[in-house]
């Protein structure tokens, strides 16, 4: 019996590791070690879609839903990922601790099974997935108002959204912006909302007590990409930090002040001393403290050798803290910028630092997932994520009683500062998140992951 080659499909540049037919269609899909997924019309041989994964992620196995609408892939970065047939990544499921060699939808396409070389089989819910659900970006802001949570964030279409308690209760949606929204902020009295974009556009909204939009106005700050914005605590000033090394403080109406002395991206800022001073952290490896009334740089904290990625002010306003890509955490005298402590021991870039409410402790988190607790320049305790999957600790914070720390990376974790209790973990669907918010009594927590999922968690 002769065997005839009907069609040959080419396009991959490396080993093809998986290929399947898509049900109820004339399409087939294949993944390869070149980090690409190709979808072909197997009748005409036409390539319909080419999807690229990150250069460290190989799709080891593919399954198609029975309705032919979705593809699930087992990934070498230990996740299960789901795409629509137009190549859009719509969900990331994390939980395995090894390569995911097999995935498969059940007959109803309501669940996805995955198996891994970590020795586990996992089941993921797909039945309640809705691609039309609003997906938020990880740069968000939260304030409490009259028993509700107001959340401001960009959505997947680069529109600015304000939602109340969930993505289903939409207070406001802006027009689609021309560039990515990089940062969001909400004033302490929840009357003003702000966001900044990659093209340098900043916009402010004023809302009534009933959350009706009273005014919208754009600010032409003549900045490059706006990377961070922060409201003052009492005066409703807003500071916008930019990639062009400047900071612009908006003081209301048409009054703005430009701060110019950094030489690289200004990454973070924070008002303090009754909003009379502004602390800024920059990729130029320095911290600066500014007089908000005059715009004069009062002093510069020098000592880091790489990007400064986070900064904080102790609640008693006596100390400043900085964390850097140079693997160091430094504590400075808030009066004159003199360095008090240089804290070493982290083995990778330190992305986050935060003082405890009583100003006695300092927490720092690095890219290996390690959190260190410091007191008076000495290490008190360290915690480790014990995972190799995107374990960057991008944000952390103490509880009001200083007994616990919440952190966010590829999950949300709660740690006991004295080390007497095991950490609690909440897994997220995406591979990582950037910030975590909590209320004053440490019972409500909010984050947004890179899959666009908003999490509002309450302690029971």
């Amino acid at each position: 019996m002769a065997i005839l080659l009907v069609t040959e499909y080419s396009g991959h540049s490396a080993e093809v590791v998986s290929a399947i037919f898509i049900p109820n269609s004339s399409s087939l899909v294949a993944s390869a070690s070149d980090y690409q997924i190709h979808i072909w019309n197997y009748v005409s041989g036409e390539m319909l879609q080419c999807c690229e994964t990150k250069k460290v992620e190989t799709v080891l196995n593919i399954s198609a839903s029975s309705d032919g609408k979705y593809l699930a892939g087992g990934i070498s970065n230990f996740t299960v990922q789901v795409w629509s047939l137009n190549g859009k990544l719509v969900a990331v499921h994390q939980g395995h601790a090894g390569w995911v060699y097999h995935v498969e939808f059940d007959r109803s396409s309501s669940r996805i099974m995955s198996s891994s070389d970590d020795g586990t089989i996992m089941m993921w819910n797909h039945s309640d997935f809705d691609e039309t659900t609003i997906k938020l970006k990880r740069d968000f802001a939260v304030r409490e108002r009259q028993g509700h949570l107001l959340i401001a964030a960009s959505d997947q279409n680069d529109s600015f959204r304000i939602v109340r308690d969930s993505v289903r209760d939409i207070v406001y949606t802006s027009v689609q912006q021309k560039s990515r929204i990089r940062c969001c902020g909400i004033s302490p009295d929840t009357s003003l909302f702000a966001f900044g974009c990659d093209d340098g556009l900043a916009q402010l909204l004023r809302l009534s007590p009933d959350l009706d939009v009273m005014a919208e106005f754009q600010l032409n700050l003549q900045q490059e990409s706006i990377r961070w914005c922060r409201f003052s605590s009492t005066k409703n000033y807003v500071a916008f930090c930019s990639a062009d090394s400047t900071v612009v403080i908006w003081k209301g109406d048409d009054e703005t002040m430009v701060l110019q002395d950094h030489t690289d991206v200004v990454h973070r800022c924070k008002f303090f001393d009754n909003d009379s001073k502004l602390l800024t952290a920059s990729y130029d490896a320095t911290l600066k403290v500014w007089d908000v009334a005059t715009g004069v740089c009062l002093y510069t904290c020098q000592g880091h050798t790489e990007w400064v990625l986070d900064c904080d002010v102790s609640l008693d306003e006596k100390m400043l803290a900085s964390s850097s890509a140079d693997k160091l955490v430094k504590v400075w005298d808030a009066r004159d910028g003199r360095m008090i402590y240089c804290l070493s021991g982290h083995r990778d870039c330190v992305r986050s630092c935060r003082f405890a409410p009583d100003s006695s402790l300092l927490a720092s988190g690095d890219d290996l997932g390690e959190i260190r607790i410091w007191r008076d320049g000495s290490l008190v305790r360290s915690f480790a994520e014990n995972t190799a999957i995107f374990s960057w600790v991008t944000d952390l914070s103490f509880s009001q009683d200083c007994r616990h720390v919440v952190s966010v990376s590829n999950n949300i974790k709660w740690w006991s500062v004295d080390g007497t209790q095991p950490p609690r973990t909440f897994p997220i669907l995406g591979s990582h998140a950037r910030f975590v918010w909590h209320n004053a009594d440490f019972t409500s927590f909010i984050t947004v992951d890179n899959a666009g999922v908003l999490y509002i968690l309450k302690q029971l």
Side-chain angles (χ1 to χ4, degrees):
M1 181 178 66
I3 300 177
L4 300 178
L5 176 65
V6 178
T7 309
E8 179 177 328
Y9 309 95
S10 60
H12 284 295
S13 59
E15 173 192 12
V16 177
V17 296
S18 182
I20 60 169
F21 289 105
I22 298 176
N24 306 314
S25 75
S26 56
S27 300
L28 66 83
V29 58
S31 65
S33 298
D34 59 5
Y35 316 113
Q36 292 185 340
I37 301 168
H38 290 176
I39 302 175
W40 288 278
N41 181 308
Y42 63 73
V43 177
S44 65
E46 176 189 4
M47 185 186 296
L48 304 176
Q49 187 73 42
C50 176
C51 316
E52 289 196 5
T53 63
K54 294 180 181 178
K55 298 303 181 186
V56 294
E57 300 175 2
T58 298
V59 182
L60 303 170
N61 185 252
I62 303 174
S63 176
S65 60
S66 59
D67 57 12
K69 293 182 178 180
Y70 296 101
L71 299 173
I75 314 296
S76 60
N77 71 347
F78 311 167
T79 66
V80 174
Q81 299 184 13
V82 183
W83 298 266
S84 57
L85 286 194
N86 63 4
K88 182 180 179 182
L89 179 66
V90 295
V92 179
H93 302 300
Q94 181 204 342
H96 284 295
W99 284 20
V100 182
Y101 280 104
H102 187 78
V103 292
E104 190 168 342
F105 283 92
D106 68 0
R107 291 182 180 179
S108 65
S109 295
S110 62
R111 292 178 180 173
I112 303 169
M113 178 196 68
S114 59
S115 60
S116 165
D117 64 5
D118 64 5
T120 65
I121 297 172
M122 294 190 178
M123 196 77 70
W124 312 93
N125 191 17
H126 186 72
S127 59
D128 57 358
F129 176 75
D130 180 3
E131 198 176 345
T132 64
T133 300
I134 296 170
K135 296 179 180 62
L136 301 180
K137 298 291 183 68
R138 294 168 296 161
D139 302 291
F140 66 94
V142 183
R143 292 284 186 186
E144 293 179 293
R145 176 173 176 152
Q146 299 175 354
H148 295 281
L149 294 169
L150 292 181
I151 303 158
S154 169
D155 67 13
Q156 72 268 37
N157 299 314
D158 289 316
S159 294
F160 178 69
R161 299 262 189 176
I162 303 172
V163 301
R164 178 171 44 198
D165 296 327
S166 79
V167 293
R168 295 180 180 86
D169 188 354
I170 300 170
V171 173
Y172 171 85
T173 304
S174 76
V175 299
Q176 183 175 0
Q177 302 302 305
K178 294 179 180 179
S179 66
R180 172 185 168 187
I181 296 175
R182 280 276 193 170
C183 57
C184 306
I186 307 175
S187 65
D189 64 3
T190 66
S191 66
L192 284 172
F193 294 73
F195 65 89
C197 301
D198 248 346
D199 60 6
L201 171 71
Q203 185 161 324
L204 288 162
L205 293 89
R206 190 180 299 278
L207 268 60
S208 72
D210 296 326
L211 297 180
D212 296 321
V213 177
M214 298 172 60
E216 299 180 54
F217 40 100
Q218 292 185 356
L219 304 177
N220 183 12
L221 305 180
Q222 297 183 337
Q223 290 179 295
E224 293 179 9
S225 172
I226 299 173
R227 298 298 181 88
W228 182 258
C229 61
R230 176 62 69 93
F231 275 92
S232 61
S233 58
T234 59
K235 299 177 181 178
N236 280 354
Y237 293 172
V238 194
F240 295 94
C241 302
S242 172
D244 65 7
S245 77
T246 66
V247 180
V248 175
I249 301 177
W250 178 83
K251 297 186 176 182
D253 298 326
D254 295 326
E255 185 181 357
T256 58
M257 174 181 290
V258 181
L259 311 180
Q260 294 177 301
D261 201 31
H262 282 295
T263 58
D264 207 336
V265 175
V266 184
H267 189 63
R268 293 286 187 269
C269 69
K270 188 171 186 176
F271 288 93
F272 69 106
D273 195 7
N274 198 30
D275 295 337
S276 67
K277 296 175 183 176
L278 182 72
L279 170 67
T280 57
S282 171
Y283 286 1
D284 66 10
T286 69
L287 295 178
K288 291 182 183 290
V289 172
W290 310 78
D291 186 314
V292 172
T294 64
V296 172
C297 179
L298 300 176
Y299 56 82
T300 299
C301 303
Q302 294 179 308
H304 286 294
T305 58
E306 298 288 346
W307 295 357
V308 178
L309 297 174
D310 201 7
C311 61
D312 197 22
V313 181
S314 62
L315 197 62
D316 61 12
E317 299 190 330
K318 294 180 179 180
M319 295 177 289
L320 313 175
S322 58
S323 60
S324 169
D326 64 10
K327 306 178 187 178
L328 297 175
V329 180
K330 293 180 182 287
V331 179
W332 316 82
D333 191 319
R335 295 171 299 179
D336 55 14
R338 176 180 57 88
M339 188 173 70
I340 304 172
Y341 304 118
C342 178
L343 310 176
S344 61
H346 282 288
R347 294 171 297 140
D348 209 333
C349 169
V350 190
R351 278 184 197 274
S352 51
C353 62
R354 202 71 66 235
F355 282 106
D358 66 1
S359 304
S360 68
L361 299 173
L362 177 68
S364 55
D366 68 26
D367 281 3
L368 292 178
E370 183 183 18
I371 294 172
R372 292 184 160 231
I373 308 294
W374 313 86
R375 186 199 301 271
D376 298 331
S378 298
L379 180 66
V380 175
R381 187 158 282 103
S382 65
F383 311 107
E385 284 276 12
N386 294 321
T387 177
I389 323 168
F390 201 100
S391 54
W392 297 2
V393 180
T394 51
D395 195 17
L396 40 66
S397 186
F398 284 91
S399 60
Q400 193 64 33
D401 61 9
C402 307
R403 295 173 58 191
H404 297 91
V405 168
V406 62
S407 65
V408 67
S409 57
N410 57 358
N411 52 40
I412 306 171
K413 276 188 180 289
W414 293 264
W415 311 85
S416 169
V417 171
D418 62 11
T420 59
Q421 300 173 11
R424 292 176 295 157
T425 303
F426 182 88
I428 57 177
L429 295 177
S431 60
H432 57 281
R434 183 168 292 165
F435 302 109
V436 60
W437 173 92
H438 66 83
N439 62 352
D441 60 8
F442 218 62
T443 57
S444 295
F445 305 87
I446 294 177
T447 193
V448 178
D449 68 17
N450 65 317
V453 179
L454 168 67
Y455 301 84
I456 301 178
L457 310 175
K458 295 186 181 294
Q459 182 175 305
L460 300 177

